[in-house]
Amino acid sequence: MNAWRAAALLCVVWLPALAAGGQALDGATRENWLHHGGTQSAWRYSALDQINAENVSRLVPAWVFQTGDYVDGLQSTPIVIDGVMYLSTNSNHVFALNAATGEQLWRYEYKGQPTAGFWVQFQPHNRGVAVEAGRVFLGTFDNYVVALDAATGGELWKVNVDNTAQCGCMIRSAPLLADGKVIVGVTGGDGAFRGYITAFDARNGRLVWRFHVIPGPGEKGNETWKGDSWKFGGGAPWSIGSYDPELKLLYWGTGNAAPDFYSGDRVVTPRRTDAGINLYTASVVALDVRTGKLRWYHQEVPNDVWDYDSAYEIVLFDAEIDGRPRKLLLHMNKSGVTYVQDRVNGKVLNAFVVPEASNWIGGVTRDGKLVDRREPAVGEMRNFCPSGFMGAKSWNQMAYSPRTRWFYTPTLETCMNIESMPQKPVEGGFFVGGTGGVVLPPGRDNYSHIDAFDPLSGERKWSYPYRYVLLASILATAGDLVFTGNPEGFFFALDARSGRELWRFQTGAGHRGSSVTYAVESRQFIATPTGWGSIIGGMAAGLFPGEGEKWRKGSAVVVFALPEGE
Amino acid sequence: MQIFFLTVLLAASPVADDAALQASLERGEQLFAMTCATGYCHAVGGGAGGGGARLAARGFTQDYIRTVATEGRAGTAMPGFKDRLSAAELDAVVAYVATLNGIERPDIGAAGDAAATAVSALSEPAEKGRVLFHDSLRGFARCATCHQVRGSGVPAAEPITRVPADARELHALATPNVATVTIEGESMPGLVVSRGERGVLFYDLTLPPPVLRTVAAGGVAIEPGSRWRHADVIRSYSDAELLLILEYLREISP
């Protein structure tokens, strides 16, 4: 190991020392990529700076690992701990790899119940595992949470979350590890389903708690549902949450209310559009990690009739506001409205609209109130931007850098024609209450961009335009770099301060996953999944006839580093 | 019993009669609504408006529909359904989409038999029992948490073969296979699935849902008998509800 390299590897991250409450939250990763979002704060940011804006143009491939599971692309976020990379694929195969060489240490193939006929409407996908204390945790397409021995890949325990033949749900997200618990949400919220988050004891798989996104009879919030509609009202928390160990609070985004586009049978007072309708769908909820009890909530889209779920990742960060240190969170939902909140009490401190094509509201007030909503109607096709299906951003995650104190997000510019229709629910069956299709907004020559935003001012600092749609997560590093990939197969680096492209590499397949960075023996690596796929990926390709067909499938991890000895 | 009767009748007829055609088309329509008309993909009834192509009145032949539905279409979001639907389910959907394209009497293939089995042959109380058995509002307190019936539910316990006569008998159910499993000084009620050289596989029944655990053979002690009571895990049901469930189990038992 070169001594200078070891010294250069870890830069000192400047963090504002908080007057009260001591040290500011440090959500950076270092040699390990421990959690799905890097850390439980979901920054997707690394303090490693061996690879930086000066030398990124010299980046070369170090190794490539083909998973052999070519079902529908690769959406995973690898986890890296002490030189071992843990990777999952769509068919729920898990690999342990030597993170420096790509050599396979073990492989696990989940044997689920064969997908039970028509109840499993979407393809199985998997977005990653969670790893801690010698155990690897996987959520499966047939709703099991499985714990594997990190040394051998052998099964330790598995427990069922729901009956796949009945719920129309599955686990796609990586689990979140917090307070000794494995915590998972489920998909299913575009069906007749009632969403929930479940926590299991990481040691033995025993149930610790379950939080129902939709409160049952007698519970506060149930009165915001008309009649029995709460039973199948959706709200699936299908992505991953974040965790503040100091506050012992878990933050999770919840999905849209079902049926998606028609609310006549689920809202108590038609035409009401203020807060507190169909609770706690399309919200950010803060739960006590020990009990799963609700501490506070903020509903972002009261009476969601556009499929604007709020299920996406939640970034936790600290900053000074008006001279006072504040514990904050940042959250963007499919509508592209982005909120900055006090994460102690949920108070909204700032809200702004990120996408350019946005016609469903006139705007949003600084304290988060939606102004001049336009809603879908029965018997008439209407146009709304952004599209609910794809969102102003897909589930792929943004990044936050404490150096610039900006966040970096892929932003999509698509719209959708929606016609709403009343629909009767059949448990586990589709329950969208209408029909619709994604279309491109007129008069543009780019349909996505990567944006750098200052969360406190809501000001866009730079924007990197792209002709098609960007559906891969962003990675930020202390080398003042921002990495992501595009559907054409290019993995690329931007200058985090200017948005200028500094480097690109053709990996051979489209990008739909989440890149990470880590170090083994002081050598920094950047790893990206490649392999186009998914329903949204196919839908995106369909928007560009004659061009989208070229976006290649596949399933590989491509890993980069500076040339050896440099 | 009714199911058996119907299946035999259909299997015996050389050409699918109107009733079988009708039943498979209804099944196909239901499958289409659940699987294909997701809004994200095709629109209800195969019309325009979904994310994917319109399927009605396109002049498709049944063979073409079958090929695309089975294999998918490369370079698009359309997946092949050959591993996702059973052969009978595929036949039913393909036949339904064929009718949307003006083919009035499509070939229903294996769907004839399947449609017959799908026809609910349950009595009214048994149907109520089926719903209670799977009742999602009870969460982990429902029977399907530990029992699988007709492919639905978690097969922690062995398939139910002896159906208790009444609620009292169900409450008093003996559970001879539930043992006391001790790992690292902690004892728990366990249902042992297998014991081999590679380890012991058992369901930890401490609290629902059961957890399937794998432990090294050396690190575990298993003693017959346990304080675990089946009556404790079915407490969310009233006796009247249990009677309906038992009626359901009786009607579907071979």
Side-chain angles (χ1 to χ4, degrees):
Chain A
M1 171 204 327
N2 295 336
W4 65 265
R5 188 192 274 170
L9 187 67
L10 294 178
C11 92
V12 179
V13 180
W14 178 82
L15 284 165
L18 294 185
Q23 196 65 41
L25 182 75
D26 180 5
T29 65
R30 289 180 171 75
E31 57 265 42
N32 293 333
W33 191 273
L34 290 172
H35 292 272
H36 192 70
T39 63
Q40 291 153 317
S41 310
W43 287 6
R44 291 192 46 77
Y45 167 84
S46 170
L48 300 181
D49 65 354
Q50 186 178 79
I51 297 164
N52 54 47
E54 296 293 300
N55 61 20
V56 65
S57 60
R58 296 201 294 279
L59 223 48
V60 290
W63 54 266
V64 176
F65 182 79
Q66 294 285 348
T67 71
D69 176 14
Y70 300 114
V71 165
D72 201 20
L74 188 59
Q75 305 197 349
S76 202
T77 301
I79 298 292
V80 183
I81 298 181
D82 299 339
V84 180
M85 176 182 289
Y86 302 90
L87 178 75
S88 60
T89 63
N90 286 338
S91 302
N92 293 177
H93 300 175
V94 183
F95 300 85
L97 309 173
N98 178 325
T101 64
E103 181 203 352
Q104 181 179 308
L105 305 175
W106 54 255
R107 170 204 181 93
Y108 166 83
E109 273 186 32
Y110 177 70
K111 301 266 185 286
Q113 278 199 18
T115 45
F118 59 96
W119 296 105
V120 180
Q121 301 102 335
F122 296 128
Q123 293 102 318
H125 288 141
N126 193 276
R127 303 196 178 124
V129 293
V131 187
E132 190 174 70
R135 298 186 191 93
V136 179
F137 303 96
L138 170 78
T140 74
F141 53 74
D142 59 351
N143 295 303
Y144 280 82
V145 176
V146 182
L148 306 175
D149 184 331
T152 64
E155 264 180 28
L156 296 172
W157 56 256
K158 69 178 216 181
V159 63
N160 183 268
V161 171
D162 209 333
N163 181 15
T164 311
Q166 184 183 352
C167 67
C169 65
M170 63 170 81
I171 305 173
R172 281 189 179 159
S173 170
L176 179 74
L177 284 161
D179 197 43
K181 298 166 190 70
V182 199
I183 307 172
V184 285
V186 274
T187 68
D190 299 318
F193 177 65
R194 179 180 173 222
Y196 51 75
I197 300 165
T198 319
F200 297 98
D201 188 322
R203 288 165 308 169
N204 53 31
R206 285 183 197 147
L207 177 72
V208 185
W209 52 255
R210 171 168 281 187
F211 169 78
H212 281 283
V213 169
I214 303 177
E219 289 174 319
K220 197 165 162 287
N222 184 263
E223 75 287 351
T224 64
W225 293 85
K226 184 175 173 182
D228 275 352
S229 63
W230 61 274
K231 290 183 181 172
F232 296 130
W238 50 270
S239 193
I240 186 167
S242 300
Y243 176 58
D244 183 332
E246 203 181 306
L247 298 172
K248 292 235 175 272
L249 284 185
L250 196 63
Y251 303 92
W252 218 288
T254 69
N256 56 283
D260 302 35
F261 304 129
Y262 179 79
S263 69
D265 295 326
R266 57 173 156 86
V267 299
V268 180
T269 320
R271 306 200 163 276
R272 241 192 74 191
T273 56
D274 51 338
I277 303 170
N278 294 154
L279 292 175
Y280 298 98
T281 63
S283 304
V284 167
V285 294
L287 309 178
D288 185 324
V289 76
R290 292 157 294 200
T291 60
K293 291 257 153 41
L294 183 74
R295 276 292 185 77
W296 59 255
Y297 76 94
H298 172 245
Q299 189 171 47
E300 296 178 347
V301 194
N303 187 11
D304 181 359
V305 279
W306 306 264
D307 188 18
Y308 286 152
D309 0 11
S310 296
Y312 296 158
E313 78 283 3
I314 299 171
V315 178
L316 312 185
F317 71 111
D318 291 355
E320 266 187 22
I321 295 183
D322 300 331
R324 264 184 64 208
R326 299 289 285 264
K327 295 174 186 295
L328 304 173
L329 69 77
L330 174 76
H331 186 245
M332 176 168 163
N333 64 41
K334 272 192 195 168
S335 79
V337 180
T338 302
Y339 301 83
V340 175
Q341 290 175 261
D342 183 319
R343 72 174 180 275
V344 179
N345 55 29
K347 190 171 160 26
V348 177
L349 303 172
N350 194 16
F352 50 95
V353 177
V354 166
E356 291 158 10
S358 174
N359 66 12
W360 70 289
I361 44 170
V364 59
T365 60
R366 215 179 145 82
D367 61 351
K369 297 214 169 39
L370 305 173
V371 182
D372 296 334
R373 296 161 49 120
R374 281 178 55 242
E375 297 189 4
V378 175
E380 185 194 332
M381 198 62 102
R382 291 185 181 171
N383 177 267
F384 298 94
C385 316
S387 76
F389 282 173
M390 285 202 198
K393 167 172 103 57
S394 188
W395 57 266
N396 306 83
Q397 290 145 20
M398 57 171 66
Y400 171 77
S401 167
R403 285 169 60 86
T404 56
R405 291 196 263 171
W406 300 339
F407 71 90
Y408 302 90
T409 183
T411 309
L412 312 183
E413 304 287 352
T414 66
C415 305
M416 183 167 174
N417 296 325
I418 301 176
E419 179 182 342
S420 49
M421 299 172 192
Q423 189 184 353
K424 292 273 159 277
V426 176
E427 185 175 13
F430 268 99
F431 195 34
V432 285
T435 177
V438 177
V439 292
L440 294 175
R444 294 187 66 95
D445 58 6
N446 68 74
Y447 299 97
S448 70
H449 30 102
I450 297 164
D451 295 334
F453 267 88
D454 177 339
L456 302 187
S457 67
E459 187 191 341
R460 188 161 84 175
K461 296 295 185 176
W462 54 255
S463 185
Y464 168 93
Y466 178 62
R467 167 157 173 73
Y468 307 119
V469 290
L470 291 158
L471 293 175
S473 299
I474 309 282
L475 167 69
T477 73
D480 280 342
L481 294 171
V482 166
F483 291 89
T484 191
N486 69 30
E488 295 166 282
F490 285 104
F491 184 62
F492 56 97
L494 307 181
D495 183 320
R497 297 189 184 270
S498 67
R500 202 163 57 89
E501 189 179 302
L502 301 174
W503 169 83
R504 60 163 56 195
F505 185 90
Q506 174 56 257
T507 63
H511 290 258
R512 186 78 181 89
S514 310
S515 50
V516 302
T517 184
Y518 58 92
V520 183
E521 293 185 354
S522 300
R523 190 177 189 208
Q524 184 183 355
F525 294 90
I526 310 266
T528 183
T530 104
W532 192 247
S534 84
I535 288 185
I536 295 298
M539 202 183 274
L543 292 172
F544 303 96
E547 301 169 70
E549 292 85 344
K550 296 175 192 151
W551 306 344
R552 277 152 294 170
K553 298 194 170 189
S555 178
V557 180
V558 183
V559 181
F560 302 91
L562 292 171
E564 201 118 36
E566 233 190 71
Chain B
M1 307 309 106
Q2 251 168 304
I3 308 170
F4 180 63
F5 180 65
L6 250 169
T7 314
V8 168
L9 236 177
L10 282 169
S13 73
V15 273
D17 59 9
D18 280 357
L21 178 64
Q22 201 48 42
S24 13
L25 291 181
E26 271 169 29
R27 173 94 171 121
E29 184 173 4
Q30 181 196 21
L31 282 162
F32 185 82
M34 296 277 191
T35 315
C36 321
T38 67
Y40 276 91
C41 306
H42 301 290
V44 179
R54 175 169 61 88
L55 298 182
R58 295 283 304 273
F60 293 151
T61 65
Q62 193 171 358
D63 279 348
Y64 178 76
I65 299 165
R66 179 173 292 114
T67 307
V68 177
T70 310
E71 304 299 336
R73 276 198 70 190
T76 74
M78 172 68 191
F81 281 86
K82 61 173 179 290
D83 300 326
R84 300 166 207 270
L85 297 176
S86 71
E89 286 170 335
L90 251 172
D91 283 341
V93 186
V94 168
Y96 167 71
V97 177
T99 63
L100 300 179
N101 285 276
I103 302 166
E104 272 170 36
R105 295 192 64 86
D107 174 13
I108 56 170
D113 303 351
T117 355
V119 171
S120 177
L122 295 175
S123 68
E124 204 177 301
E127 173 57 22
K128 284 190 181 140
R130 185 189 66 79
V131 172
L132 285 164
F133 187 95
H134 290 99
D135 184 5
S136 51
L137 298 179
R138 285 165 209 265
F140 294 120
R142 60 178 161 174
C143 312
T145 298
C146 308
H147 293 284
Q148 190 179 76
V149 170
R150 287 176 151 185
S152 174
V154 176
E158 290 287 305
I160 295 172
T161 50
R162 291 171 297 113
V163 181
D166 52 29
R168 202 182 48 81
E169 205 176 293
L170 178 59
H171 278 302
L173 191 81
T175 54
N177 298 312
V178 181
T180 300
V181 177
T182 306
I183 308 165
E184 290 168 2
E186 190 200 355
S187 292
M188 63 199 87
L191 189 66
V192 178
V193 176
S194 69
R195 300 169 81 159
E197 279 162 32
R198 285 179 52 232
V200 176
L201 200 61
F202 74 98
Y203 280 99
D204 174 1
L205 295 177
T206 304
L207 81 169
V211 184
L212 184 63
R213 293 183 64 171
T214 309
V215 284
V220 53
I222 301 165
E223 282 174 43
S226 163
R227 284 207 299 264
W228 188 81
R229 291 289 165 268
H230 193 272
D232 293 337
V233 297
I234 58 174
R235 263 202 235 128
S236 79
Y237 295 98
S238 69
D239 281 4
E241 289 171 330
L242 291 176
L243 275 178
L244 296 170
I245 293 173
L246 293 175
E247 182 56 29
Y248 166 59
L249 294 175
R250 246 190 307 280
E251 277 190 24
I252 61 165
S253 71

